[in-house]
Amino acid sequence: MSATAPRNTDARPGDLVFLPLAAATIIYLGTLVARDAAGRAVPASDTAGLRVVGRAEETVDNSAGAADALSINIRLGCYKFDNSATQPVDADDIGKMAVVEDDQTVAETSANKVCAGRITGVESDGVWVDTRYAFYGPRTLVTLTSTDGAMDAAVERRVEALTSS
């Protein structure tokens, strides 16, 4: 039914996500946060099935609690995280997607390719990653190959077009 009078509609910033924590979980302020298959917040890691949400806006300790006992505020945006020592992101990766190594480290590639977001800068002390691309874009990165390379280029252009909007 349509409104027939003014209403006071609750609001929150569009870049803020509020999720319940998984059981036996601690998430620290400033770290990468992902959601698991049940939609609960967990520290980001290179674990199949996770989807990065953004950066923790607070520390929440649910280490002794059940699932959904506590919740956390997570902000989408562009943040500087540590660069991997084993699969480092380089300047030529700017514009590409970074993957999660752990809740404070991003990499160029990893086993499960959990997308952390789009790389917007690389500095000596870290990598700037826009987590909105992980939240709204692909859950994981896919590597496709072909015998002549034409398929790779076409697929890469299509993926870039889908994730840059």
Side-chain angles (χ1 to χ4, degrees):
M1 175 177 191
S2 298
T4 59
R7 59 173 277 160
N8 183 9
T9 304
D10 290 337
R12 72 167 56 149
D15 63 347
L16 193 63
V17 177
F18 188 69
L19 290 179
L21 265 71
T25 299
I26 301 174
I27 296 178
Y28 295 100
L29 169 72
T31 60
L32 272 168
V33 180
R35 67 177 192 243
D36 63 14
R40 294 184 180 100
V42 295
S45 66
D46 185 28
T47 303
L50 295 185
R51 183 177 197 108
V52 167
V53 177
R55 182 193 68 179
E57 291 294 286
E58 56 196 329
T59 295
V60 179
D61 184 348
N62 193 35
S63 57
D68 304 328
L70 297 174
S71 295
I72 188 167
N73 284 304
I74 307 157
R75 189 169 303 276
L76 286 65
C78 192
Y79 306 103
K80 190 191 304 186
F81 295 105
D82 293 346
N83 199 352
S84 172
T86 57
Q87 295 292 327
V89 173
D90 304 306
D92 67 340
D93 296 318
I94 293 173
K96 296 178 182 176
M97 297 294 190
V99 296
V100 173
E101 186 169 288
D102 59 42
D103 64 355
Q104 62 182 354
T105 311
V106 295
E108 183 177 27
T109 190
S110 66
N112 291 297
K113 296 184 172 91
V114 176
C115 183
R118 186 172 301 280
I119 301 161
T120 61
V122 179
E123 297 177 3
S124 61
D125 62 342
V127 179
W128 287 94
V129 177
D130 191 336
T131 63
R132 291 172 289 206
Y133 288 91
F135 185 72
Y136 295 116
R139 179 182 304 260
T140 58
L141 302 180
V142 178
T143 303
L144 301 174
T145 58
S146 67
T147 56
D148 65 1
M151 175 76 86
D152 291 344
V155 169
E156 188 168 297
R157 283 191 304 275
R158 180 68 179 140
V159 168
E160 287 296 318
L162 290 172
T163 59
S164 66
S165 55

